[in-house]
Amino acid sequence: MNDSVRIFAAAVILAMPGLAEGDALAEGLGAYDVGDYEKSLTLCQPLADQGVAAAQFCVGRLYANGFGVPMDDAQALKWYGLAAGQGHAEAQFNLGVMHANGWGVPMNDDEAAKWYRQAAESGQVQAQMAFAAVLREGRGVAQSNQQAYMWYRIAADLGDTAAISNRDDMAEKLTAPEREAADGEAAAWLKRLEDDPLRVGQVE
């Protein structure tokens, strides 16, 4: 997006009577959900420029998918990175996916695992599944059946039905003391996430 388009988009928001930042963000995210990507970009881009993490994530998704703009992995990485740096869990997960697949960056299992971990610890269920998988396989992180079991169990307890069979499969690879220790860690994480008002769930 060039400077003239950015200025126009900002002017559109300012010209909308009573459209506060939160309202503009809600409208921009809502426009994305219904496929009105040009409106989503118009509303979210100025907020992203101002440092609003949810808007940065939205702009990242637009570029990552080529919705309303040409597909551009570099721009997607930029905006996901800015949102992820503010703790936006979905952006952290998507960064992990991009690094794991080499989209816009060289494939890097270490970076993928790092971002999966951060998102998983914020309660992002897809990231918990992804982090459990890399722990299970030892990609970008030390291999650990016990930790893989723990994250699969957390994802299962948070409602991911696909995690159940993975959890049960990993349980068979653990001794009783290892499973008991992992269950204790999982319970502690679940309590921490339950008490966190900013916890996120699974994205579509």
Side-chain angles (χ1 to χ4, degrees):
M1 177 179 284
N2 60 38
D3 290 341
S4 62
V5 175
R6 291 178 192 274
I7 293 170
F8 172 75
V12 168
I13 290 179
L14 292 174
M16 294 179 179
L19 190 61
E21 178 182 298
D23 296 328
L25 178 61
E27 286 200 27
L29 298 179
Y32 182 97
D33 289 340
V34 299
D36 190 348
Y37 301 122
E38 291 185 4
K39 179 179 180 181
S40 182
L41 183 66
T42 297
L43 290 167
C44 287
Q45 182 69 70
L47 299 175
D49 292 336
Q50 294 168 25
V52 178
Q56 292 170 338
F57 172 66
C58 181
V59 172
R61 285 199 297 175
L62 291 168
Y63 279 108
N65 294 287
F67 292 162
V69 290
M71 187 179 293
D72 189 329
D73 284 339
Q75 285 294 310
L77 284 164
K78 170 189 170 180
W79 292 108
Y80 283 155
L82 289 169
Q86 297 193 66
H88 194 286
E90 289 92 345
Q92 292 168 343
F93 169 67
N94 285 10
L95 272 182
V97 171
M98 295 190 79
H99 282 288
N101 291 281
W103 294 340
V105 289
M107 191 178 294
N108 189 320
D109 288 338
D110 291 347
E111 280 293 301
K114 179 188 80 174
W115 290 114
Y116 288 156
R117 177 194 290 273
Q118 290 189 32
E121 290 178 349
S122 295
Q124 217 282 346
V125 178
Q126 289 173 309
Q128 291 166 352
M129 290 288 288
F131 190 47
V134 298
L135 284 162
R136 183 177 191 168
E137 299 166 12
R139 285 187 289 111
V141 68
Q143 196 281 336
S144 173
N145 290 338
Q146 185 171 328
Q147 287 293 300
Y149 165 81
M150 182 193 78
W151 284 108
Y152 279 134
R153 180 187 159 179
I154 291 170
D157 283 9
L158 292 177
D160 192 307
T161 56
I164 297 172
S165 60
N166 287 301
R167 176 202 64 195
D168 294 345
D169 180 57
M170 296 309 299
E172 295 178 359
K173 302 178 186 300
L174 303 179
T175 64
E178 287 173 336
R179 189 165 60 250
E180 183 178 351
D183 284 337
E185 285 189 73
W189 270 110
L190 288 163
K191 179 64 166 62
R192 190 175 306 150
L193 293 171
E194 181 183 349
D195 292 341
D196 183 358
L198 299 179
R199 185 183 78 79
V200 299
Q202 183 169 341
V203 296
E204 296 179 357

